[in-house]
Amino acid sequence: MSNEPFADLFASSGELGPLLRDVDWARTPLGPVSQWPPLLRTSVGICLNQRFPTLVLWGTEFALIYNQGYIPILEMKHPSAIGNPFREVWPEVWDVLGPQLQAVVSTKVASWSEDLPLQVHRRGFLEETYFTFSFAPLIDEGGEVSGIFCSGRETTPQVLSERRLRTSRALGEAALGAKTVEEACAAISRSLSRNTADVPFSALYLTTEEQMHARLVSSSGFLEGQPQCPAQLSLSDENAPWPLAKVARTGATEFVELLPRPTGEPPGRNPPEPARSALVLPILRPGQAHPCGFLVAGLNPRCALDEHYRSFLELTAGQIAIAVASARAYEEERRRAEALLELDRAKTAFFGNVSHEFRTPLTLMLGPLRDARASAEQALRGESLDVVIRNSERLLRLVNNLLDFSRIEAGRADAHYQPTALDAFTAELVSGFRSATERAGLSLVVDCPPLSEPVYVDRSLWEMIVLNLVSNAFKFTFEGRITVRLREEERQVLLEVEDTGTGIPAHELPHVFERFHRVRGARARSIEGSGIGLALVRELVELHEGTISVKSQVGQGTRFTVCLPRGSAHLPKERLQEEPRRESTATETKLYVQEALRWLPESMDKPLPDPDVPPPREQPSSRVLIVDDNADMRDYLHRILAPHFEVQRAVDGLTALEAARARRPDLIVSDVMMPGLDGLGLLRRLREDPELRAIPVLLLSAQAGPEAAVSGLDAGADDYLVKPFSARELIARVRSNLELARTRRELFRHEALEAGLREAVHARDEFLSVASHELKTPLTRFRLQLELVTRGLSEQSRERVGARLDTASQAVRNLAALVETLLDVSRINTGQLHLRFHDVDLGALVAEAVEDARDEAERAGCTLGSQAKASLVARCDRTRIRQVIDNLLSNAVKFGRGKPVEVKLEAWGGLARVSVTDHGIGIDPRDRSRIFERFERAVSSRHYGGFGLGLWIARQVVEAHRGDITVTPTPGGGSTFTLELPLEATAELETGAGYESP
């Protein structure tokens, strides 16, 4: 062949050599090898000796010659690509690389591309690939580009790995803050939606608790409503859209061909080709045999499902398993924490209720006992004795209930079952409540027909069941009836206790038999109770291998149903007593009925007068309102307080509020825990009412400790007293709070009086301001008219009436000065005295004032002497300082008539000091501290005129300049007034409120 002379050209090309030697190069654009130019032969030699993927593109058609390293890039295009034009070999990328090749030829400058994305068709499908390569021009001897030398490598694995690694990292971070499984799955789907290249769509299913179904929790890439994305799939359905059943059974990943297209175009995306297949991967938590969920992941149609792609998706499923497990662990921990918190709240409520239940009877026992010990006879009689016995029995029953409950929970219940005529026994128990229901205005229906056979029960436990249920019905029923039915049904006996009471909200029904639980906000006759009554009933029923259920509707009533099996086969044989025993139920029933009677209002349950209570020893002067839902406590408080105060009683907060509005009490003594409106609620309503907010409130509570007291005082209570308490302490607290209330009322009265006086003074100042303005205008006109008349007089008329006109003019000037003084007073009082600061020569100002005062001094027989610094400049309001100096000179002349007056101006320590000295009557030392106050005078106004405002105005003006004015006695008699002004005004002085700067 023509290639033989150049066989050594292909000798170093390895396995590719024989193939290159067999090519008929004459049929290619390159022509016979013998005709190849030296540049081509050199370039091909370099190319074939490279181990790095390299090729030579020669001629205008860019014919290919490549080395062994380039064959993996070509895949199925090899060996047909040898010697063929680049455009024919790679038509799918010509639109991207063709311009680059042409640019290298035209510019003779090499190009460089890094991780360039290309869609190539080399494995039977259009594949997503990335390449890093360079195009270098091959320039011949004539300076023209004859070909291009290309070297580079495929970076597809690195680019895909980095992209998938970013997704894996994002998946790990996405679920970190998730608090629920739904939040974690939603975060995972959001992260997957950012990598639609590797995961065009996804659907995340989690199995339900019974492992029978899988529900869709989150998805990405799907359009809502697609049939391929159902909200729930059965794990037994082999024909479901996704093979979750098979994956759940085998635990292996399943490959799924997709027909038709299962995805829609995600928002903001435009994938070039829809996914044609998907993987269904199990989500397995460590240590679990069955998947907790499934990941349906769409596959990129332009990526081969190789080991790396599959590993990425399996790693994704593993991360989802970890995120779901972490979220579920957080949820379980939160549920445990909430359960513990709820148990802690229930425990706290229980101890609070038990404290209340114990402290109330203890108070009613200890109080009468202490009173009896303090009496001369040291005897307990009458109603006090009944109260002690009644509350001792109540306390004993509370303790027994707690002990019974604890024994039952510990499995140590001492129950003995005997055949009992349950119809007669139940009817006898219920009939004991008839007196209480009649006094409450309720109907009691007992429907207990004879049963066909005795029923095995523990009589004492059945007694507790029936009495608790009937007592509970009585507590929550205010009108209508209570019905108790007993009937047989197949192999069971049913007891129904139905009422027409307040009912139980639907959300509370699942919790009514829980220990310590109490229905919040329920209307009841009393708030008393430990919170274990119904829980104890359930335990007692279960000891009989029975069940208890409840149905209720708010506002219509409640029905409790107890179901007991007949016969004795279900009971332990060692606890059976075949001989029926008849025991009296009167004692236990009496206790329940007595307690129920104490829940009734006082109008229904009026206590008899106690002959042992002494008559009042003092005339009641204050009204006290007692509020407590326990009748014994109300009676006890009444017996303590009635000898000293006028007492009124109320059974709850609402009744107390109505009583306070009808007749305002001086003090309210209220229990904290009450049905309906409790003590704190009553306190809040009182403080919100303008008419009642000032009433002092003393709270009584069974909750001891500083926290309870602080909470009560923070709510607005005036005092807080913990049960049990002594009668003397209660009386002392009531008296002290009443005295404090009287003091506060007196203080409020004085404050109101002061406020009224302040209003009157303000009104007076407003009047003075208005009146001064109104007087100033006619006085100014009058003065002008006098001056016009005086100037128009002839010499003869002036001799005849001139003296009278001068007198009238002086009177007008004096009146104008008085009006100006009143106007200054109103300006000062209303904060409208505005100063205008200028640089003022005080020497000239003092000389001018002295000169203007000479005529007045001559009329008074005074001589004026002045000693002033020639030039002393201060920043002040010239008009106001002149007003002060004029006032001091006028006073000196007035009170030093016939005596000399000296004025002196000097600089002293950064101050300008003006002294006005007279030798007149002087000022008593006791008066010197008050003469600068309003309307204060050192002498009688009968001998010396004036309002007593001049020196007050002077002090206000001087202090507004940050100066001072004082008075000292003149040696030998008289007074010396000294005015001091700062020579340099501060910025604060010039810009402060009420001042003006030029």
Side-chain angles (χ1 to χ4, degrees):
M1 295 181 65
S2 58
N3 298 344
E4 291 177 359
F6 302 97
D8 59 339
L9 182 62
F10 306 120
S12 60
S13 58
E15 297 177 1
L16 187 61
L19 188 61
L20 293 176
R21 284 192 294 269
D22 291 340
V23 173
D24 186 2
W25 294 102
R27 294 180 178 275
T28 68
L30 298 173
V33 176
S34 60
Q35 297 178 11
W36 286 3
L39 179 59
L40 175 58
R41 290 197 302 270
T42 302
S43 300
V44 170
I46 295 172
C47 171
L48 296 178
N49 280 284
Q50 293 284 334
R51 299 186 65 181
F52 202 69
T54 309
L55 68 158
V56 175
L57 305 176
W58 190 261
T60 57
E61 296 185 34
F62 304 110
L64 271 74
I65 300 178
Y66 50 86
N67 66 357
Q68 186 73 29
Y70 193 69
I71 294 176
I73 294 176
L74 288 169
E75 291 281 349
M76 60 184 295
K77 293 179 181 287
H78 173 74
S80 60
I82 298 175
N84 286 321
F86 186 88
R87 186 168 190 171
E88 294 178 6
V89 176
W90 297 108
E92 64 271 23
V93 298
W94 177 254
D95 59 337
V96 177
L97 297 182
Q100 291 189 25
L101 295 172
Q102 298 294 345
V104 172
V105 172
S106 62
T107 63
K108 301 178 183 180
V109 177
S111 67
W112 170 265
S113 296
E114 186 172 4
D115 295 333
L116 180 67
L118 297 173
Q119 305 290 330
V120 301
H121 196 287
R122 59 182 181 178
R123 300 181 183 179
F125 63 93
L126 200 60
E127 182 182 357
E128 176 187 3
T129 59
Y130 298 86
F131 292 90
T132 295
F133 57 87
S134 68
F135 289 151
L138 297 173
I139 302 174
D140 58 19
E141 296 176 354
E144 298 297 327
V145 177
S146 298
I148 295 176
F149 190 88
C150 176
S151 63
R153 62 187 179 90
E154 182 176 357
T155 59
T156 303
Q158 291 81 2
V159 172
L160 296 184
S161 295
E162 290 177 4
R163 185 173 71 197
R164 292 164 184 171
L165 182 61
R166 286 194 299 270
T167 300
S168 297
R169 188 183 301 114
L171 287 173
E173 295 173 353
L176 284 179
K179 297 181 180 179
T180 64
V181 172
E182 284 72 14
E183 286 183 13
C185 293
I188 288 168
S189 292
R190 285 194 298 270
S191 297
L192 291 177
S193 68
R194 300 187 187 101
N195 185 5
T196 54
D198 289 313
V199 189
F201 65 86
S202 70
L204 185 53
Y205 286 87
L206 295 181
T207 56
T208 56
E209 292 184 4
E210 69 278 6
Q211 299 288 322
M212 297 297 294
H213 295 84
R215 62 185 180 90
L216 179 67
V217 182
S218 62
S219 63
S220 67
F222 278 110
L223 287 179
E224 291 186 5
Q226 288 285 339
Q228 291 84 356
C229 190
Q232 184 167 294
L233 289 172
S234 172
L235 295 183
S236 59
D237 185 2
E238 298 291 342
N239 298 318
W242 304 112
L244 304 188
K246 185 177 181 181
V247 175
R249 188 174 62 255
T250 64
T253 301
E254 283 292 317
F255 178 82
V256 182
E257 291 285 351
L258 299 179
L259 287 175
R261 174 180 177 177
T263 62
E265 295 180 359
R269 305 276 185 175
N270 187 19
E273 187 177 353
R276 297 189 295 271
S277 59
L279 281 187
V280 180
L281 301 100
I283 298 175
L284 284 166
R285 284 192 286 179
Q288 280 194 333
H290 299 286
C292 65
F294 308 89
L295 171 64
V296 180
L299 299 177
N300 187 347
R302 297 186 179 177
C303 283
L305 183 57
D306 55 16
E307 180 183 354
H308 299 291
Y309 199 175
R310 183 181 290 268
S311 297
F312 161 68
L313 294 176
E314 290 174 350
L315 177 62
T316 299
Q319 288 181 289
I320 294 173
I322 294 173
V324 170
S326 177
R328 281 182 172 164
Y330 183 90
E331 285 184 327
E332 291 172 2
E333 187 63 29
R334 186 180 62 186
R335 281 194 292 268
R336 283 195 296 269
E338 289 175 351
L340 289 174
L341 184 62
E342 183 61 32
L343 182 61
D344 183 67
R345 282 197 294 263
K347 179 195 70 176
T348 302
F350 167 72
F351 282 118
N353 295 333
V354 167
S355 174
H356 183 273
E357 292 302 296
F358 282 175
R359 287 177 180 272
T360 297
L362 282 172
T363 302
L364 295 170
M365 293 163 59
L366 292 174
L369 289 172
R370 287 168 178 164
D371 293 343
R373 185 177 63 183
S375 65
E377 300 84 2
Q378 292 191 340
L380 193 63
R381 295 172 298 190
E383 177 63 19
S384 297
L385 180 60
D386 292 339
V387 168
V388 171
I389 295 174
R390 187 163 54 242
N391 282 277
S392 299
E393 292 171 343
R394 180 183 171 207
L395 191 60
L396 177 62
R397 186 166 61 83
L398 287 171
V399 172
N400 287 338
N401 282 344
L402 291 174
L403 292 175
D404 288 341
F405 190 76
S406 64
R407 280 199 298 265
I408 292 172
E409 280 206 324
R412 301 196 308 269
D414 186 20
H416 298 279
Y417 309 98
Q418 53 187 291
T420 304
L422 205 60
D423 48 0
F425 185 41
T426 303
E428 181 183 352
L429 291 172
V430 176
S431 298
F433 274 88
R434 191 170 299 280
S435 60
T437 55
E438 289 177 354
R439 295 178 69 174
L442 301 175
S443 298
L444 179 63
V445 179
V446 182
D447 183 13
C448 297
L451 301 178
S452 60
E453 62 180 353
V455 179
Y456 279 81
V457 296
D458 183 299
R459 292 176 62 85
S460 61
L461 301 186
W462 181 254
E463 187 176 341
M464 294 173 66
I465 292 171
V466 174
L467 294 178
N468 265 293
L469 292 177
V470 177
S471 174
N472 191 71
F474 182 81
K475 180 187 288 189
F476 294 98
T477 304
F478 293 85
E479 56 186 19
R481 65 183 180 277
I482 298 173
T483 304
V484 180
R485 301 186 188 91
L486 190 69
R487 54 190 174 89
E488 292 178 301
E489 187 177 279
E490 297 181 354
R491 297 300 303 165
Q492 297 175 331
V493 175
L494 301 181
L495 170 69
E496 292 181 350
V497 179
E498 185 175 6
D499 63 63
T500 57
T502 57
I504 304 171
H507 68 277
E508 295 278 7
L509 286 175
H511 308 288
V512 294
F513 295 112
E514 294 178 1
R515 56 181 178 176
F516 316 141
H517 181 79
R518 305 183 72 171
V519 178
R520 295 185 180 92
R523 183 189 176 205
R525 295 185 183 275
S526 173
I527 201 171
E528 294 174 350
S530 59
I532 64 171
L534 291 176
L536 177 61
V537 168
R538 184 184 66 176
E539 297 288 347
L540 297 176
V541 171
E542 290 178 352
L543 280 177
H544 290 79
E545 298 298 328
T547 60
I548 184 171
S549 59
V550 59
K551 291 184 179 180
S552 183
Q553 191 168 351
V554 175
Q556 296 189 14
T558 304
R559 181 172 71 244
F560 286 91
T561 302
V562 176
C563 179
L564 296 184
R566 295 163 62 180
S568 61
H570 58 285
L571 298 172
K573 292 183 178 181
E574 65 275 10
R575 294 187 176 274
L576 296 179
Q577 294 178 353
E578 293 299 334
E579 292 297 326
R581 291 184 299 166
R582 183 73 175 175
E583 297 177 356
S584 174
T585 62
T587 300
E588 190 70 19
T589 304
K590 180 182 177 182
L591 295 178
Y592 278 89
V593 173
Q594 282 183 349
E595 183 175 7
L597 287 171
R598 307 306 291 173
W599 295 338
L600 296 175
E602 290 185 0
S603 58
M604 300 179 184
D605 186 25
K606 197 73 173 179
L608 296 175
D610 191 343
D612 293 335
V613 175
R617 296 183 297 273
E618 57 186 74
Q619 184 67 28
S621 58
S622 301
R623 293 188 64 253
V624 178
L625 175 61
I626 296 171
V627 191
D628 201 299
D629 60 319
N630 185 284
D632 281 338
M633 182 60 72
R634 290 195 301 272
D635 296 342
Y636 176 62
L637 294 175
H638 183 270
R639 286 198 300 273
I640 292 175
L641 299 177
H644 312 281
F645 312 101
E646 181 183 350
V647 180
Q648 184 179 0
R649 289 176 281 187
V651 298
D652 55 33
L654 288 176
T655 307
L657 199 61
E658 294 173 359
R661 287 170 177 165
R663 189 180 178 193
R664 190 178 187 277
D666 297 304
L667 176 74
I668 295 177
V669 179
S670 174
D671 190 19
V672 173
M673 298 178 67
M674 295 184 294
L677 188 66
D678 62 8
L680 295 179
L682 170 63
L683 184 59
R684 184 171 56 255
R685 296 279 289 274
L686 289 171
R687 297 302 181 242
E688 292 172 354
D689 192 324
E691 299 295 327
L692 306 177
R693 67 175 51 176
I695 299 176
V697 177
L698 169 60
L699 289 180
L700 303 178
S701 176
Q703 295 180 343
E707 296 84 1
V710 169
S711 64
L713 296 174
D714 284 344
D718 296 86
D719 206 347
Y720 192 93
L721 191 57
V722 178
K723 302 175 183 177
F725 50 82
S726 66
R728 294 179 61 185
E729 182 181 10
L730 176 64
I731 294 172
R733 295 281 187 102
V734 170
R735 280 178 171 161
S736 64
N737 279 282
L738 286 171
E739 186 61 32
L740 285 174
R742 280 192 288 269
T743 302
R744 281 197 295 267
R745 286 196 298 269
E746 190 66 21
L747 180 61
F748 291 155
R749 191 178 68 81
H750 285 299
E751 289 179 351
L753 182 60
E754 289 181 7
L757 290 174
R758 284 194 296 270
E759 282 292 323
V761 171
H762 180 72
R764 182 204 65 192
D765 291 338
E766 289 289 335
F767 170 74
L768 288 176
S769 178
V770 173
S772 300
H773 279 287
E774 293 299 319
L775 290 171
K776 191 173 182 180
T777 300
L779 281 174
T780 302
R781 294 177 179 174
F782 188 31
R783 186 177 60 187
L784 291 174
Q785 292 300 322
L786 281 175
E787 290 177 356
L788 289 174
V789 169
T790 301
R791 286 198 297 268
L793 290 176
S794 62
E795 289 296 330
Q796 296 81 5
S797 300
R798 186 179 300 277
E799 291 177 359
R800 188 172 60 254
V801 298
R804 295 180 180 178
L805 288 175
D806 289 342
T807 302
S809 296
Q810 183 61 40
V812 170
R813 285 194 295 271
N814 292 339
L815 184 57
L818 292 175
V819 170
E820 192 64 35
T821 299
L822 292 176
L823 193 57
D824 283 343
V825 171
S826 67
R827 289 189 187 118
I828 293 171
N829 287 337
T830 57
Q832 297 178 2
L833 179 64
H834 296 289
L835 303 178
R836 299 179 179 275
F837 290 88
H838 303 272
D839 290 334
V840 177
D841 185 345
L842 292 180
L845 181 65
V846 169
E848 180 183 318
V850 170
E851 193 62 32
D852 290 345
R854 288 193 184 279
D855 290 343
E856 182 182 356
E858 288 178 2
R859 287 194 296 271
C862 296
T863 59
L864 277 179
S866 176
Q867 181 181 351
K869 189 174 180 179
S871 178
L872 187 61
V873 177
R875 191 163 181 79
C876 60
D877 187 313
R878 190 181 193 282
T879 301
R880 290 298 179 182
I881 295 301
R882 169 67 188 272
Q883 177 185 359
V884 173
I885 296 173
D886 286 346
N887 185 275
L888 296 179
L889 286 172
S890 178
N891 282 346
V893 170
K894 181 192 299 184
F895 298 108
R897 186 177 297 274
K899 303 290 180 67
V901 175
E902 294 92 19
V903 180
K904 183 179 180 181
L905 172 63
E906 59 182 341
W908 182 81
L911 298 173
R913 177 181 288 177
V914 180
S915 301
V916 178
T917 302
D918 68 68
H919 300 274
I921 62 176
I923 302 174
D924 191 287
R926 293 171 297 179
D927 297 327
R928 290 174 192 155
S929 60
R930 63 180 181 84
I931 59 172
F932 291 103
E933 301 297 329
R934 280 187 295 185
F935 311 119
E936 293 291 345
R937 307 169 59 86
V939 295
S940 172
S941 61
R942 184 174 300 175
H943 301 93
Y944 298 91
F947 286 149
L949 292 170
L951 290 177
W952 178 74
I953 293 174
R955 189 184 68 173
Q956 301 300 317
V957 171
V958 172
E959 290 180 352
H961 282 78
R962 304 294 190 269
D964 192 18
I965 184 171
T966 58
V967 60
T968 56
T970 303
S975 301
T976 299
F977 285 84
T978 302
L979 164 65
E980 294 179 344
L981 294 175
L983 290 173
E984 294 183 1
T986 63
E988 177 187 0
L989 180 65
E990 296 191 18
T991 60
Y995 303 100
E996 294 181 0
S997 298

